[in-house]
Amino acid sequence: MSERWPTEIRLSGDKRILTVAFDGGGRFELPAEYLRISSPSAEVQGHSPAERKVIGGKRDVAILSVEPVGNYAVKLFFDDMHDTGIYGWDYLFDLGREYRNRWSTYLRELEERGLTRDRVASAPAKAAHSHGAGGCGSGSCGCH
């Protein structure tokens, strides 16, 4: 059971900032890009720390919806079709508390890998035709 309990979860009008406040203190404005690249899903985190993926091209990602998962988490649906991460209260709190360090690490890892925060132009028509919708798992979302 989570030690943290949210008192507010609000998605901004432009769908690019998720505000989360917690009882006992802590209020964070978490950018959609940060939440997307920090998704707790196996697609991003892998099944061990060595398998964690550094994902580029998510600067303009937006959150389409926020849905509760029981009383312990939310599931975020992103406009790049990623929707497999379940964000528990403790994880959201940690993301907020550790934002500066995690973001600095992410930017450094992007640079080390020659990646960018901006979407790379590719042949989306080919990807969409050969892989259906072109979401996560198809190779066209930027995380594979």
Side-chain angles (χ1 to χ4, degrees), residues 2 4-11 18-22 30 35 38-41 63 65-78 82-93 95:
S2 174
R4 309 280 179 201
W5 191 257
T7 57
E8 175 186 12
I9 299 175
R10 184 173 28 96
L11 185 59
L18 185 69
T19 300
V20 185
F22 292 89
L30 304 171
L35 291 165
S38 301
S39 173
S41 69
I63 299 168
S65 67
V66 180
E67 295 186 7
V69 176
N71 62 358
Y72 64 92
V74 290
K75 186 172 184 178
L76 304 181
F77 294 83
F78 295 90
H82 180 75
D83 64 359
T84 58
I86 296 176
Y87 296 75
W89 308 144
D90 290 336
Y91 187 61
L92 282 171
F93 185 86
L95 286 176

Side-chain angles (χ1 to χ4, degrees), residues 36-56:
R36 174 62 178 90
I37 61 100
S38 301
S39 173
S41 69
E43 293 173 37
V44 175
Q45 299 300 324
H47 297 286
S48 72
E51 292 180 358
R52 184 179 65 85
K53 294 174 181 61
V54 177
I55 302 170

Side-chain angles (χ1 to χ4, degrees), residues 120-137:
V120 176
S122 61
K126 181 179 178 185
H129 287 92
S130 64
H131 298 291
C136 259

